[in-house]
Amino acid sequence: MLTESLRESMFSAFLALLRRDILLAFRRRTELLFPVAFLLVVVSLFPLGIGPGPNLLARIAPGVIWIAALLATVISLDGLFRSDFDDGSMEQFILSGHPLTLIVLAKIVAHWLVAGLPLVLLSPLLAMWMNLPLDSLGVLIVTLLLGTPILSLIGSIGVGLTLSLKRGGQLLSLLVFPLYVPILILATAAVMAASDGLPYGAFLGLLTAGLVTSVTLAPFAAAAALKISLS
Amino acid sequence: MKNDKPRKNAFLMFIHKMGSPPWFYNFTGKFVPWLWAGFTVLTIWGLYLGLFKAPPDYLQGESYRIMYIHVPAAWMSMLIYIVMAVMGFIALIWRVRTMEIMAMNSAPIGAAFTLIALVTGSLWGRPTWGTYWVWDARLTSELVLLFLYLGVIGLYKAMDEPRKAARAASLLALVGLVNMPIIHYSVKWWNTLHQGSSISMTGSKIDPSMLWPLLIMAIAMKFYYGANLITRSRITLLEQDLRKGWTRDVIEGTAGEHKS
């Protein structure tokens, strides 16, 4: 049984950590821009490599934007627990008495606000570059809003597992990309269905289900992974 | 005086003993040759029936015979992943070292079966479908399965401390197991969405003369998995416990006389 005061203290710990992480991220503004710049560069490479034909670009737009978002997320994920692990804050979090799952969730939310949300905000520009029909832009934004948090959540498990490795970042992509397959399929299918004028509600429903499931389960797995890495 | 220690039943006792490295080593050493023997006999029998006795297929001719390698390998690739994840779960919860070792030694065997399934599949695909690779649902999920195996192996090899590495990789295997059905169904449904399913298994009714060799090969592959897994695990145990007393007894050949 949770007493009222305990619940309150857990909630305030959650908010304090969230605030701290966002504050820390904004102290290093240049680093904040790396995933965004990466996303822009990757997407701009596709017209250069494939050719500027507007129809072809429109056809591959959802896939290109989503794959670029996937890569940008994995690039930014490496920093999720890194600095706290290096300076010993992570041990303090575990010793603080608050559930590690809650702390992990706060860090994931902060990571998404700092690294995931900019990708969503940038998507209209990318859609314009890739000649995506305006009607499906709304669906693209919704899939990114539902999907990028899942990327951060599942990714946090991989980050937790590779934390104690020197070159964890390279292994991370191998660990998490297979787990990202369903999200990529659902999100791009939704946008393509919208472009073709087909119903897309089911895809968004499944993505929402994925979001709910991963919010519920991923923090526990990530906390377990962190404990193994710190042992 | 009466012994008031609660008596464990035989099965729990067995599980308990399997956690002890010397006991595990001696116990498995007794039947691992039989597993290898079973594998050899069944494979020769199954391959003989499959390659020489079974009639050629009326549509595919002789090329279908690769099925006797391909299908058992594909079955094993999925089975071993599940077994590995379950052993990883046991290792994570009860911290049984022999289980950690067994789970981690399952990964390379499973990855090898996955690779065999993919390679024989594409060799079979060339004469039947006219192409080595299609982004069919089955092929794609098998490929993703290979990536999952490689992730587990990669994580295990990347960490220096074997027990920590085994626990981390077991957790990854477990996460992969939860995701496997989701990946499988999303891929299946992605393919039907894009191009319509043009490939399915060659009919549900297989003639007994073709089916029997397949079943024998499937059992032979299970023997192979058991034999290979136990042989590998025994070696890993010896390597990890190189400085302990019981390994000295084993190496000096006095293991049987040692009371453990």
Side-chain angles (χ1 to χ4, degrees):
Chain A
M1 283 281 277
L2 282 177
T3 61
E4 197 58 41
S5 66
L6 186 58
R7 191 176 301 160
E8 220 162 76
S9 94
M10 268 167 63
F11 192 63
S12 63
F14 181 86
L15 283 184
L17 196 61
L18 192 64
R19 201 174 149 270
R20 164 189 175 270
D21 268 24
I22 294 173
L23 203 65
L24 278 177
F26 275 91
R27 294 258 165 81
R28 285 172 293 192
R29 259 167 238 175
T30 339
E31 277 181 40
L32 211 60
L33 289 176
F34 287 165
V36 174
F38 179 82
L39 183 75
L40 289 176
V41 170
V42 169
V43 173
S44 70
L45 286 177
F46 277 86
L48 297 173
I50 289 167
N55 288 335
L56 179 63
L57 285 185
R59 189 78 212 136
I60 61 170
V64 168
I65 294 171
W66 253 97
I67 291 169
L70 227 85
L71 296 171
T73 307
V74 170
I75 296 247
S76 65
L77 268 175
D78 197 41
L80 180 58
F81 302 127
R82 177 65 62 196
S83 62
D84 288 338
F85 181 74
D86 287 343
D87 68 10
S89 311
M90 200 49 87
E91 274 101 337
Q92 298 302 320
F93 291 148
I94 291 177
L95 293 174
S96 71
H98 294 293
L100 188 58
T101 311
L102 193 77
I103 289 162
V104 167
L105 187 63
K107 294 197 72 70
I108 296 169
V109 172
H111 172 264
W112 181 74
L113 287 173
V114 168
L117 198 56
L119 306 184
V120 183
L121 296 177
L122 214 61
S123 57
L125 173 68
L126 302 177
M128 200 183 69
W129 276 2
M130 295 299 293
N131 199 36
L132 189 79
L134 263 183
D135 317 334
S136 35
L137 177 61
V139 183
L140 176 71
I141 292 175
V142 173
T143 60
L144 283 169
L145 269 177
L146 290 170
T148 46
I150 311 181
L151 300 183
S152 298
L153 283 160
I154 296 179
S156 69
I157 306 171
V159 180
L161 288 171
T162 53
L163 198 54
S164 59
L165 302 176
K166 291 251 155 40
R167 296 182 159 271
Q170 293 170 356
L171 190 60
L172 180 65
S173 49
L174 178 65
L175 303 193
V176 296
F177 280 144
L179 306 176
Y180 284 169
V181 166
I183 307 160
L184 182 65
I185 289 175
L186 286 173
T188 52
V191 184
M192 280 183 182
S195 314
D196 297 344
L198 297 169
Y200 50 82
F203 306 106
L204 298 185
L206 284 169
L207 268 180
T208 314
L211 179 59
V212 172
T213 316
S214 46
V215 166
T216 322
L217 296 179
F220 286 98
L226 273 178
K227 278 190 182 153
I228 292 172
S229 278
L230 284 163
S231 66
Chain B
M1 218 169 91
K2 244 187 117 178
N3 189 1
D4 51 9
K5 227 167 88 180
R7 280 182 67 86
K8 289 179 178 167
N9 68 44
F11 180 69
L12 277 181
M13 221 34 219
F14 174 73
I15 299 281
H16 187 71
K17 278 182 181 166
M18 286 301 265
S20 144
W23 204 86
F24 176 91
Y25 189 89
N26 290 331
F27 178 74
T28 53
K30 277 172 205 147
F31 68 83
V32 72
W34 296 101
L35 288 177
W36 281 115
F39 156 68
T40 313
V41 170
L42 284 171
T43 306
I44 292 171
W45 187 30
L47 281 182
Y48 171 71
L49 286 184
L51 299 184
F52 298 103
K53 284 284 175 187
D57 187 73
Y58 78 100
L59 238 170
Q60 300 182 18
E62 304 287 346
S63 74
Y64 88 96
R65 291 184 200 276
I66 201 167
M67 170 177 88
Y68 296 119
I69 304 290
H70 173 73
V71 174
W75 283 342
M76 288 312 286
S77 68
M78 280 172 271
L79 178 77
I80 293 177
Y81 195 92
I82 296 168
V83 172
M84 174 178 75
V86 170
M87 290 196 292
F89 179 77
I90 296 171
L92 276 175
I93 302 290
W94 288 284
R95 310 222 166 172
V96 188
R97 187 156 65 99
T98 46
M99 269 298 162
E100 288 170 7
I101 290 171
M102 299 252 279
M104 287 307 108
N105 279 323
S106 293
I109 309 173
F113 272 120
T114 316
L115 196 64
I116 289 171
L118 281 169
V119 170
T120 54
S122 59
L123 288 178
W124 192 10
R126 182 72 193 152
T128 13
W129 304 335
T131 172
Y132 285 114
W133 184 263
V134 258
W135 287 98
D136 167 70
R138 278 165 188 270
L139 279 73
T140 314
S141 18
E142 197 71 14
L143 186 66
V144 174
L145 183 64
L146 181 65
F147 292 154
L148 286 174
Y149 271 124
L150 291 182
V152 172
I153 298 171
L155 188 61
Y156 180 60
K157 299 277 176 201
M159 290 190 182
D160 296 329
E161 202 188 316
R163 293 210 63 179
K164 184 174 157 185
R167 267 185 291 141
S170 295
L171 184 66
L172 180 68
L174 214 55
V175 173
L177 186 70
V178 173
N179 271 278
M180 223 159 74
I182 304 172
I183 293 171
H184 179 75
Y185 283 106
S186 65
V187 164
K188 206 166 150 183
W189 167 78
W190 156 77
N191 175 268
T192 49
L193 193 80
H194 278 246
Q195 57 181 50
S197 120
S198 51
I199 305 117
S200 66
M201 283 292 277
T202 52
S204 55
K205 279 216 188 327
I206 304 179
D207 192 77
S209 63
M210 291 181 181
L211 186 64
W212 272 111
L214 186 63
L215 294 180
I216 294 169
M217 283 303 286
I219 296 168
M221 289 303 120
K222 277 160 194 73
F223 269 90
Y224 174 77
Y225 170 53
N228 193 341
L229 176 64
I230 287 173
T231 308
R232 277 167 184 268
S233 302
R234 282 159 57 89
I235 294 168
T236 312
L237 262 181
L238 280 186
E239 278 173 356
Q240 285 187 5
D241 284 1
L242 210 53
R243 310 229 168 270
K244 293 196 179 155
W246 72 269
T247 44
R248 201 175 312 130
D249 295 340
V250 167
I251 291 163
E252 285 166 7
T254 56
E257 298 144 37
H258 183 73
K259 277 272 187 204
S260 56

